[in-house]
């Protein structure tokens, strides 16, 4: 190789070295980022325009189905055969409803069990008693297809004032799977009854028409069917107590012996609304729902059950302030259900 060739090679290597040095020492430019998905909202969900109408429509229907339940309708527990037939029908209906997740799949045309009728509202079905055969069997409101994994229960809609309104809002606002409502007063079977919210009656099982404590009822059968057929679903049962029964708390949360964990929910409610929340049995030793029959069934199959006791003052606040009620439900049920 002659001197000219050697010089050209050296020059080429020098130029490569200069270029590499410039590349390594230059100020790097920020690489463009790929489009990012919008952040997941962390606040309360916006209310769809149809929610207010859905709540109003469901309230009117339930009021009609509960008429006379305080003083006129005689309570009668179902026979073994009636309860078994009711359960068989619910098993089939609930299994299908939970799978109907597309618009093309609709609930099959079926006849309600004897003594009952199936009423249709936009997006939901109501299993209710035939008008001529009313005996306090309760109403099951069921959402087919897409739904959040909650079952809302209101077993004392006459006695615990405000719990029905809160339950209806919870069902519609949180898109819950089911809503269970009683249709006769809890003390309807007694000759005389305590005044509403008169005392701490959480574990009072003196009346057979109290579906939260009756050993057998259509209400308990509906609860068991929901627990057994709806997969990983959370049960939230709403109750009320007089302010004097637990003056240190606005709200009492209890797993009632089940595997539910109320502590995170208690903290969420405290942060969202500044409520005084007591957790049973670590912070309070009453209003725990330990004699509740729906809780007992949930425990027997190792499923969670949340017993929610609200003071009379809190229930009044929630039913009179829609925004406060929505923040309450978001904290109770979680912003994503």
């Amino acid at each position: 190789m002659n001197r000219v060739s050697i010089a050209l090679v050296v020059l080429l290597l020098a130029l490569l070295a200069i270029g590499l040095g410039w590349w390594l020492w230059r100020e790097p430019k920020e690489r463009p980022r790929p489009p990012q998905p919008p952040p997941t909202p962390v606040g309360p969900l916006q209310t769809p325009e149809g929610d207010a109408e859905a709540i109003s429509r469901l309230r009117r229907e339930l009021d009609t189905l509960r008429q006379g339940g305080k003083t006129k309708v005689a309570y009668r527990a179902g026979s073994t055969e009636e309860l078994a037939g009711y359960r068989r029908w619910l098993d089939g209906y609930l299994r299908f409803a939970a799978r109907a997740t597309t618009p093309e799949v609709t609930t099959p045309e079926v006849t309600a069990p004897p003594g009952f009728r199936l009423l249709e509202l936009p997006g939901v079905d109501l299993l209710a008693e035939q008008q001529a055969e009313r005996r306090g069997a309760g109403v099951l409101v069921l959402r087919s297809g897409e739904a959040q994994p909650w079952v809302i229960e209101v077993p004392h809609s006459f006695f615990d004032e405000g719990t029905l309104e809160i339950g209806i809002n919870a069902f519609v606002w949180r898109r819950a799977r089911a809503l269970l409502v009683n249709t006769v007063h809890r003390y309807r079977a007694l000759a005389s009854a305590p005044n509403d919210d008169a005392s701490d009656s959480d574990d009072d099982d003196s009346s057979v028409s109290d579906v939260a404590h009756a050993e057998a009822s259509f209400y308990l059968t509906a609860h068991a069917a929901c627990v057994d057929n709806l997969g990983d679903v959370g049960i939230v049962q709403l109750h009320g107590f007089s302010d004097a029964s637990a003056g240190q708390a606005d709200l009492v949360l209890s797993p009632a012996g089940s595997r539910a964990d109320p502590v995170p929910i208690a903290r969420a409610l405290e942060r969202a609304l500044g409520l005084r929340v007591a957790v049973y049995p670590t912070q309070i030793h009453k209003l725990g729902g330990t004699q509740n029959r729906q809780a007992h069934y949930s425990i027997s199959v190792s499923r969670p059950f949340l017993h929610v006791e609200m003071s009379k003052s809190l229930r009044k606040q929630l039913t009179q302030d829609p925004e406060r009620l929505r923040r309450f439900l978001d904290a109770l049920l979680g912003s994503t259900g």
Side-chain angles (χ1 to χ4, degrees):
M1 182 179 294
N2 57 34
R3 292 183 178 181
V4 175
S5 298
I6 294 173
L8 289 174
V9 171
V10 171
L11 178 60
L12 181 59
L13 291 174
L15 290 174
L16 288 174
I18 293 171
L20 181 61
W22 173 83
W23 178 262
L24 293 174
W25 290 101
R26 72 184 179 90
E27 182 178 357
K29 295 182 179 180
E30 183 178 359
R31 295 181 179 179
R33 295 182 179 180
Q36 300 295 312
T40 301
V42 296
L45 298 176
Q46 296 299 313
T47 308
E49 293 182 359
D51 275 4
E53 177 58 29
I55 290 169
S56 178
R57 186 184 298 114
L58 183 55
R59 183 192 299 120
R60 291 195 301 269
E61 196 68 43
L62 289 173
D63 284 346
T64 298
L65 297 172
R66 294 168 60 252
Q67 281 182 357
K70 199 166 186 177
T71 58
K72 295 181 180 180
V73 177
Y75 179 78
R76 178 176 66 81
S79 66
T80 301
E81 292 74 20
E82 288 175 322
L83 295 177
Y86 183 75
R87 174 62 194 260
R88 283 193 300 272
W89 187 91
L90 280 177
D91 285 343
Y93 188 95
L94 289 168
R95 282 195 298 267
F96 185 90
R99 295 197 305 269
T101 57
T102 64
E104 294 77 15
V105 180
T106 58
T107 303
E109 294 291 336
V110 291
T111 302
F116 291 83
R117 53 191 169 135
L118 198 60
L119 308 176
E120 294 185 5
L121 293 181
V124 299
D125 292 321
L126 285 73
L127 182 62
E129 301 166 282
Q130 292 285 1
Q131 186 66 21
E133 299 184 47
R134 297 174 63 197
R135 70 272 207 194
V139 180
L140 172 62
V141 186
L142 184 69
R143 189 186 309 280
S144 299
E146 294 290 344
Q148 295 295 333
W150 294 106
V151 172
I152 311 299
E153 297 185 352
V154 184
H156 297 153
S157 63
F158 298 92
F159 188 79
D160 295 340
E161 294 180 355
T163 55
L164 178 60
E165 184 68 15
I166 295 168
I168 292 172
N169 276 264
F171 174 77
V172 174
W173 169 240
R174 299 312 312 160
R175 305 296 187 269
R177 173 63 72 190
L179 170 67
L180 276 65
V181 179
N182 70 316
T183 50
V184 298
H185 195 284
R186 66 180 295 185
Y187 292 120
R188 180 70 184 92
L190 300 181
S192 61
N195 295 327
D196 289 6
D197 286 337
S199 62
D200 172 16
S201 56
D202 175 62
D203 289 330
D204 182 1
D205 59 359
S206 60
S207 174
V208 295
S209 54
D210 181 351
V211 294
H213 295 102
E215 293 187 8
S217 67
F218 288 101
Y219 196 96
L220 178 57
T221 301
H223 167 88
C226 287
V227 169
D228 292 344
N229 288 289
L230 294 179
D232 189 17
V233 66
I235 307 294
V236 175
Q237 194 173 97
L238 303 176
H239 293 265
F241 64 91
S242 65
D243 291 0
S245 293
Q248 75 275 29
D250 302 308
L251 182 73
V252 177
L253 297 180
S254 171
S258 77
R259 62 179 180 85
D261 181 8
V263 174
I265 301 171
R267 302 294 86 83
L269 287 164
E270 291 169 346
R271 289 192 302 268
L273 291 94
L275 297 177
R276 300 172 300 163
V277 183
V279 175
Y280 178 94
T282 56
Q283 296 173 320
I284 193 171
H285 301 293
K286 62 193 305 186
L287 300 169
T290 56
Q291 302 304 312
N292 187 286
R293 293 297 173 179
Q294 288 76 49
H296 289 181
Y297 185 85
S298 294
I299 294 168
S300 72
V301 292
S302 300
R303 303 300 291 275
F305 178 91
L306 184 65
H307 188 269
V308 181
E309 286 275 1
M310 297 167 284
S311 71
K312 189 170 187 177
S313 294
L314 176 60
R315 282 175 278 139
K316 185 175 181 179
Q317 292 172 17
L318 296 177
T319 54
Q320 293 181 351
D321 187 340
E323 179 56 32
R324 186 170 177 82
L325 175 56
R326 289 203 172 88
R327 287 190 285 126
F328 174 83
L329 295 175
D330 276 335
L332 179 67
L333 303 180
S335 61
T336 59

